[in-house]
């Protein structure tokens, strides 16, 4: 197996795990979404601390965090990124627990196109004609959704834009993925502890043994796919790994319809058709770009 093939295999594994996470969070639907999110942050921080000790990388973690502290611009960007990924996680957990899994899958379909749009508007990057057309068609798709359903797909837009801006802030960061995860969980940790101690109406004793076990495992569930994804990027080119990212929302949508019993309205189907066309244009554009680079 070549280095690239190993990278793609790790990437597929990461996207499959992310796709089936909806089943995991659905098992915790009986727990308040804010509490589920809070315990996810706590156990992610604990998991990454254990990972740091087991991997014997304490000196690397200390060095990277010290360098981050000295670079104030990078430090504030990292804090902002922590809040954005927290918004993304909380929105996703809420969507799954409250019967909006179809809309969350729409958000993950839109994410790459939102990232391209932000790169165009903020970074002033130039786009290929196919990519520009894809962004335009996706915008039409959102407009169709609003027109047909009578409201903005807020969950989808919040998921797509929170992760889009998160990726934008992470662009050029010098933190390793494992150090970044520990830092981001650490930034949000005080806020969730205050919430759980002073504002939450539930405690661990209110949950079943199974729910407590699932909450405790949420840190591992969070870290494994991200570490697999980070490793895949080391072995395979980003543009190749990007092609398989649509496994995630496609499986999420199938789970929402076939397992959770959610329904797609006719208006949502019309909007999705435009977004799927946009994705097709985006993928075709990437294939053409790859061929040009090889030649």
């Amino acid at each position: 197996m070549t280095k690239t093939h190993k990278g793609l295999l790790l990437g597929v594994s990461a996207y499959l795990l992310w796709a089936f996470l909806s089943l995991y969070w659905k098992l915790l639907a009986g727990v308040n979404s804010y509490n589920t999110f809070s315990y996810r942050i706590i156990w992610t921080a604990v998991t990454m601390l254990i990972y740091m000790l087991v991997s014997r990388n304490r000196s690397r973690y200390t060095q990277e965090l010290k360098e981050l502290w000295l670079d104030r611009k990078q430090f504030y960007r990292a804090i902002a990124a922590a809040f954005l990924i927290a918004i993304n996680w909380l929105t996703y957990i809420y969507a799954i627990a409250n019967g909006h899994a179809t809309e969350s899958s729409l958000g993950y379909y839109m994410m790459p196109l939102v990232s391209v749009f932000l790169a165009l508007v903020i970074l002033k990057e130039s786009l290929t004609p196919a990519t520009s057309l894809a962004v335009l068609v996706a915008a039409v798709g959102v407009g169709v959704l609003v027109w047909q359903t009578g409201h903005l797909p807020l969950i989808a837009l919040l998921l797509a834009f929170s992760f889009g801006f998160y990726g934008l802030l992470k662009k050029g960061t010098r933190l390793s993925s494992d150090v970044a995860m520990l830092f981001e969980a650490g930034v949000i940790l005080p806020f969730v502890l205050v919430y759980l101690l002073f504002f939450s109406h539930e405690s661990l004793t209110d949950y079943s043994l199974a729910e407590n076990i699932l909450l405790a495992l949420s840190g591992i569930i969070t870290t494994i796919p991200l570490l697999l994804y980070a490793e895949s990027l080391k072995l395979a080119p980003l543009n190749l790994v990007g092609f398989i990212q649509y496994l995630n929302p496609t499986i999420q949508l199938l789970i929402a319809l076939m397992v959770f019993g959610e329904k797609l309205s006719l208006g949502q189907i019309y909007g999705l058709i435009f977004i799927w066309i946009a994705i097709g244009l985006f993928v075709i554009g990437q294939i053409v770009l790859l061929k040009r680079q090889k030649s």
Side-chain angles (χ1 to χ4, degrees), residues 77 81 84 115 161-172:
R77 284 169 67 97
L84 283 167
S115 296
F161 276 91
S162 62
F163 200 80
F165 277 108
Y166 174 75
L168 199 64
L169 288 173
K170 298 278 283 185
K171 192 177 179 68

Side-chain angles (χ1 to χ4, degrees), residues 212-230:
N212 274 295
I213 292 171
L214 289 172
L215 289 171
L217 291 174
S218 62
I220 297 174
I221 292 297
T222 298
T223 56
I224 288 176
L226 189 66
L227 293 175
L228 286 172
Y229 178 72

Side-chain angles (χ1 to χ4, degrees), residues 77-122:
R77 284 169 67 97
I79 289 177
F83 282 101
L84 283 167
I85 198 63
I87 291 169
N88 186 272
W89 286 2
L90 179 57
T91 303
Y92 182 59
I93 289 170
Y94 173 86
I96 298 302
N98 292 275
H100 300 291
T102 52
E103 194 172 337
S104 74
S105 69
L106 172 63
Y108 285 100
Y109 273 124
M110 292 167 58
M111 273 183 193
L113 297 172
V114 166
S115 296
V116 168
F117 172 76
L118 293 176
L120 172 67
V121 173
I122 297 174

Side-chain angles (χ1 to χ4, degrees), residues 49-276:
L49 283 171
I50 294 172
Y51 177 80
M52 177 186 70
L53 295 173
V54 171
S55 61
R56 298 179 181 178
N57 279 326
R58 185 176 177 180
S59 59
R60 177 171 64 83
Y61 276 62
T62 304
Q63 182 62 31
E64 287 193 28
L65 291 173
K66 188 183 294 183
E67 290 174 0
L68 180 66
W69 173 254
L70 294 174
D71 189 336
R72 306 308 286 179
K73 184 179 179 181
Q74 287 287 326
F75 180 72
Y76 292 128
R77 284 169 67 97
I79 289 177
F83 282 101
L84 283 167
I85 198 63
I87 291 169
N88 186 272
W89 286 2
L90 179 57
T91 303
Y92 182 59
I93 289 170
Y94 173 86
I96 298 302
N98 292 275
H100 300 291
T102 52
E103 194 172 337
S104 74
S105 69
L106 172 63
Y108 285 100
Y109 273 124
M110 292 167 58
M111 273 183 193
L113 297 172
V114 166
S115 296
V116 168
F117 172 76
L118 293 176
L120 172 67
V121 173
I122 297 174
L123 301 180
K124 307 300 181 184
E125 293 183 0
S126 58
L127 303 182
T128 63
T131 304
S132 300
L133 184 59
V135 172
L136 180 62
V137 172
V140 171
V142 174
V144 169
L145 279 169
V146 175
W147 179 50
Q148 291 287 337
T149 63
H151 62 85
L152 276 169
L154 290 176
I155 288 174
L157 291 173
L158 197 54
L159 284 172
F161 276 91
S162 62
F163 200 80
F165 277 108
Y166 174 75
L168 199 64
L169 288 173
K170 298 278 283 185
K171 192 177 179 68
T173 183
R174 293 187 294 272
L175 281 184
S176 303
S177 56
D178 51 350
V179 180
M181 182 175 285
L182 177 60
F183 177 81
E184 288 162 7
V187 168
I188 306 301
L189 187 61
F191 296 95
V192 300
L193 288 174
V194 168
Y195 165 75
L196 288 173
L197 289 172
F198 300 106
F199 297 99
S200 175
H201 298 296
E202 300 175 359
S203 66
L204 291 174
T205 56
D206 295 318
Y207 309 141
S208 67
L209 176 62
E211 287 171 333
N212 274 295
I213 292 171
L214 289 172
L215 289 171
L217 291 174
S218 62
I220 297 174
I221 292 297
T222 298
T223 56
I224 288 176
L226 189 66
L227 293 175
L228 286 172
Y229 178 72
E231 194 62 29
S232 74
L233 293 181
K234 294 177 185 177
L235 299 172
L238 177 60
N239 49 18
L240 287 180
V241 177
F243 280 126
I244 57 177
Q245 65 190 310
Y246 295 109
L247 278 173
N248 180 0
T250 301
I251 294 173
Q252 279 192 46
L253 182 60
L254 291 173
I255 289 173
L257 297 175
M258 300 173 69
V259 180
F260 300 159
E262 295 186 19
K263 305 292 183 184
L264 277 174
S265 68
L266 195 58
Q268 287 176 313
I269 292 172
Y270 289 147
L272 268 172
I273 287 171
F274 277 95
I275 289 167
W276 283 330

